[in-house]
Amino acid sequence: MPIDQAAVAELDRVDTRPALVDPFGRAITYLRVSVTDRCDFRCIYCMSENMAFLPKRDVLSLEELDRLCSAFVARGVRKLRLTGGEPLVRRDIMTLFSSLSRHLRSGDLDELTVTTNGSQLGKYAREIKSCGVQRINVSLDTLNAEKFRAITRWGSLDQVLAGIAAAQDAGLKIKINAVALKGVNDDEFPRLIEWAHGRGMDLTLIEVMPLGEIGAGRLDQYLPLSMVRARLAERYQLEDIDHRSGGPARYVRVAETGGILGFITPLTHNFCESCNRVRVTCTGTLYMCLGQEDAADLRKPLRASEGNDLLFAAIDEAILRKPKGHDFIIDRRHKRPALARHMSVTGG
Ligand SMILES: C[S@@+](CC[C@H](N)C(=O)[O-])C[C@H]1O[C@@H](n2cnc3c(N)ncnc32)[C@H](O)[C@@H]1O
Ligand code: SF4
């Protein structure tokens, strides 16, 4: 169903309120929204092969997602990232991009972006660009087709590479995200760096995080990026650059390629003091911190009335509870994840 533009315009008109600032003085300017828990891949670190997905009635409609995102924009969010699950497998997802693009045109939003596994980019890259999206993140852990199949279980490397090419043709700037997996892709980082940088794309390596039961032993996959970085430093000149995203990534320039390499190390690094972000799941659950269980239900106030007063009250109440920091640990004795929810729920 198309999003009713007259209704959203009316809500946009009345909903200007003070910006969100948490009790530690951090302004909340970045919202990541998981638009679906479903995915066309089953990456080994993210999902089990037979995942149980949410019933449709629990998932916010595209119209509700638009309202929710727009409420945050009205409260000072300047950057919006759509994620999932795989955001581009949600039916009619382009109507949400298209509707949200009004906030870019009005100047209320600086950036609309998406994190995708790339499988649908061949189909959607042009439309995404035409909605004002400038940069996207594409997750790709290996350039080896067999390994790609082993990691994603259901994915096709060729389809993703074609999607990346389509996105570049459409004029989208791409950052590649690769999860570092011990014994799986740890021999491939130089190749990934040279491939990405050779095509004008930044690359960020991500340390595997202990989220959700996924069947395999998490400790078997864990590879500290400090080790990866030390090994890469033997081969390349890594120059520290002051390029921060307000998030857990630290960046270097690889002198030999001229490209940027990021390291996201949530387990070995504390980045909470600069945290400007919150996350909402596709059921409207707001997580104030990726590393804590505390959450607030925004679906109930969203569905309770057509205006946004109840929703704003719930958001305000939740932001007051945003914690100072997280405490991720892989439970080494019991080999259990520190948090039970999957990355595909909160969207990474
Ligand atoms: C959950 S996915 C959602 C968006 C999209 N499906 C994709 O793969 O880009 C977002 C990011 O989280 C990463 N991710 C998933 N599970 C993870 C885990 N347990 N530890 C670290 N990164 C993870 C993925 O590799 C991806 O880069
Ligand atoms: S990482 Fe992304 S592509 Fe892989 S299973 Fe999770 S949601 Fe799907």
Side-chain angles (χ1 to χ4, degrees):
M1 219 180 51
I3 296 171
D4 180 347
Q5 289 302 316
V8 296
E10 179 56 20
L11 278 178
D12 287 350
R13 198 180 58 76
V14 295
D15 285 339
T16 28
R17 313 210 180 189
L20 295 168
V21 179
D22 79 3
F24 305 97
R26 295 169 298 189
I28 308 305
T29 55
Y30 183 10
L31 176 68
R32 299 165 81 112
V33 185
S34 175
V35 299
T36 178
D37 63 330
R38 286 158 206 261
C39 186
D40 52 343
F41 292 2
R42 291 290 181 278
C43 301
I44 49 172
Y45 46 76
C46 180
M47 293 190 181
S48 63
E49 189 145 23
N50 36 22
M51 288 286 286
F53 292 109
L54 294 161
K56 279 241 163 67
R57 64 176 181 282
D58 290 351
V59 175
L60 299 184
S61 67
L62 292 173
E63 198 145 19
E64 288 169 330
L65 282 167
D66 181 281
R67 215 178 119 199
L68 190 59
C69 292
S70 302
F72 275 94
V73 171
R75 301 299 308 276
V77 159
R78 306 286 315 173
K79 176 171 173 179
L80 206 51
R81 178 178 298 280
L82 304 187
T83 174
E86 174 46 41
L88 301 184
V89 299
R90 171 121 194 208
R91 182 152 14 123
D92 294 331
I93 189 64
M94 281 306 127
T95 61
L96 182 62
F97 277 90
S98 164
S99 181
L100 290 173
S101 69
R102 71 187 186 279
H103 299 305
L104 292 171
R105 287 192 300 275
S106 71
D108 290 337
L109 191 64
D110 295 329
E111 188 170 17
L112 174 62
T113 186
V114 61
T115 299
T116 173
N117 65 24
S119 70
Q120 308 303 310
L121 281 174
K123 194 157 121 196
Y124 289 136
R126 277 183 188 286
E127 240 179 302
I128 291 174
K129 181 70 173 45
S130 73
C131 292
V133 175
Q134 304 295 340
R135 310 186 296 172
I136 62 172
N137 288 358
V138 181
S139 304
L140 178 67
D141 305 329
T142 175
L143 290 166
N144 174 307
E146 271 167 45
K147 270 193 208 173
F148 187 85
R149 175 53 65 121
I151 293 171
T152 62
R153 293 198 185 100
W154 295 1
S156 146
L157 178 65
D158 282 348
Q159 191 178 338
V160 169
L161 293 180
I164 289 172
Q168 288 201 300
D169 279 351
L172 289 165
K173 204 167 163 8
I174 298 179
K175 179 161 78 76
I176 300 289
N177 283 339
V179 175
L181 298 163
K182 190 162 82 184
V184 180
N185 64 356
D186 43 359
D187 56 341
E188 260 198 270
F189 302 136
R191 187 174 173 214
L192 273 167
I193 289 171
E194 282 159 34
W195 172 81
H197 290 178
R199 285 164 179 72
M201 302 184 284
D202 296 342
L203 174 71
T204 294
L205 301 177
I206 306 176
E207 206 160 65
V208 77
M209 287 193 267
L211 300 176
E213 286 292 350
I214 39 108
R218 188 81 63 179
L219 283 176
D220 297 343
Q221 298 173 352
Y222 180 63
L223 173 63
L225 286 189
S226 51
M227 269 173 61
V228 174
R229 183 175 168 153
R231 229 179 293 152
L232 289 173
E234 291 169 9
R235 183 168 180 148
Y236 301 106
Q237 204 183 320
L238 306 179
E239 301 163 348
D240 271 313
I241 50 173
D242 193 28
H243 175 88
R244 295 213 169 172
S245 59
R250 293 293 173 266
Y251 296 92
V252 296
R253 185 178 302 282
V254 180
E256 289 79 357
T257 62
I260 290 178
L261 177 64
F263 298 91
I264 298 189
T265 55
L267 295 176
T268 52
H269 224 92
N270 202 315
F271 52 88
C272 304
E273 64 286 348
S274 61
C275 182
N276 60 351
R277 61 194 61 192
V278 291
R279 295 170 168 79
V280 184
T281 69
C282 59
T283 57
T285 304
L286 174 69
Y287 284 95
M288 287 72 86
C289 169
L290 182 60
Q292 303 271 3
E293 293 288 6
D294 189 25
D297 175 25
L298 300 182
R299 185 179 60 195
K300 204 164 161 210
L302 189 70
R303 289 185 174 170
S305 73
E306 285 186 1
N308 281 345
D309 289 350
L310 295 173
L311 179 61
F312 283 132
I315 294 172
D316 281 328
E317 200 269 327
I319 296 301
L320 281 178
R321 303 205 309 267
K322 185 170 163 64
K324 192 165 182 201
H326 70 59
D327 44 23
F328 274 130
I329 45 158
I330 293 183
D331 183 337
R332 285 172 202 278
R333 215 149 39 94
H334 302 100
K335 299 202 171 185
R336 270 200 312 254
L339 287 172
R341 68 179 191 269
H342 287 94
M343 196 75 151
S344 54
V345 174
T346 31

